[in-house]
């Protein structure tokens, strides 16, 4: 059993995040899904980016820090898209994190990675927000820093392909994600 904090995408705290958390809870994990915006989720990515601009990245990061405050140091940091970036940004402040689980986006700077840190990435191939050369560079940098990195690419799907309420949802790709995520968490 692991403590997991699961940060939402730029859309906000959508039902897909809550459903993912319920799936992890059903496997015996304790999962927190903080609302980094404090307002209802948006319906479009454009509205989400506008909301992020209005709230501000620093406020989002402060809310994420607040959500982690009472969680054990070995909590798994996880996130969807923007939330993956938030999880990665907080890694330097949480050196004992049990792992970094990144769904739909990269995150984590090499200088924040301790040797052996388990990192799992699930990403569309190609992904409109993570160019292949940038993903390759990130992957090499994390590997060079000593991360125990596993990358899963999902060809021909949209960016947030695990969200059933979005047009880019791919049931087949989504079905491949969750057993891998559960195995990742069970191994920690």
């Amino acid at each position: 059993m692991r403590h997991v904090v699961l940060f939402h995408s730029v859309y906000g705290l959508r039902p897909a995040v809550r459903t993912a958390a319920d799936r992890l809870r059903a496997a015996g994990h304790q999962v927190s899904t903080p609302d980094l915006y404090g307002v209802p989720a948006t319906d479009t990515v454009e509205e989400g980016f506008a909301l992020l601009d209005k709230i501000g990245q620093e406020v989002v990061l402060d809310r994420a820090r607040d959500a982690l405050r009472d969680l054990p140091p070995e909590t798994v940091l996880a996130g969807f898209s923007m939330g993956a970036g938030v999880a990665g940004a907080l890694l330097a402040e949480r050196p004992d994190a049990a792992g970094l689980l990144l769904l739909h986006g990269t995150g984590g700077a090499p200088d924040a990675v301790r040797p052996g840190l388990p990192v799992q990435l699930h990403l569309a191939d190609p992904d409109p927000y993570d160019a292949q050369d940038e993903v390759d560079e990130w992957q090499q940098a994390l590997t060079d820093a000593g991360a125990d990195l596993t990358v899963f690419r999902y060809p021909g799907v949209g960016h947030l392909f695990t969200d059933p309420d979005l047009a880019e949802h791919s049931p087949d790709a989504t079905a491949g994600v969750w057993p891998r995520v559960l195995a990742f968490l069970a191994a920690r």
Side-chain angles (χ1 to χ4, degrees), residues 106-130:
T106 59
D111 58 348
V113 172
R114 70 173 188 277
L117 175 72
V119 179
Q120 189 177 82
L121 169 65
H122 298 266
L123 194 64
D125 184 16
D127 188 280
Y129 297 100
D130 287 289

Side-chain angles (χ1 to χ4, degrees), residues 1-9 12-35 71 76 78-80 101 103-104 162-164 174 177-178 181-182 185:
M1 189 267 308
R2 278 280 152 223
H3 285 270
V4 180
V5 63
L6 186 57
F7 298 115
H8 61 72
S9 74
L13 187 55
R14 294 174 55 82
V17 177
R18 291 185 177 103
T19 299
D22 289 342
R23 182 185 305 258
L24 301 181
R25 287 183 191 111
H29 304 289
Q30 293 184 0
V31 184
S32 299
T33 56
D35 184 349
L71 295 178
V76 173
F80 289 90
L101 175 60
L103 301 154
H104 312 294
T162 61
D163 189 330
T174 299
V177 169
W178 297 113
V181 166
L182 293 174
L185 294 174

Side-chain angles (χ1 to χ4, degrees), residues 29-53:
H29 304 289
Q30 293 184 0
V31 184
S32 299
T33 56
D35 184 349
L36 303 177
Y37 289 171
V39 297
T42 64
D43 292 323
T44 69
V45 70
E46 295 81 12
E47 291 170 346
F49 278 115
L51 189 54
L52 176 61
D53 286 344

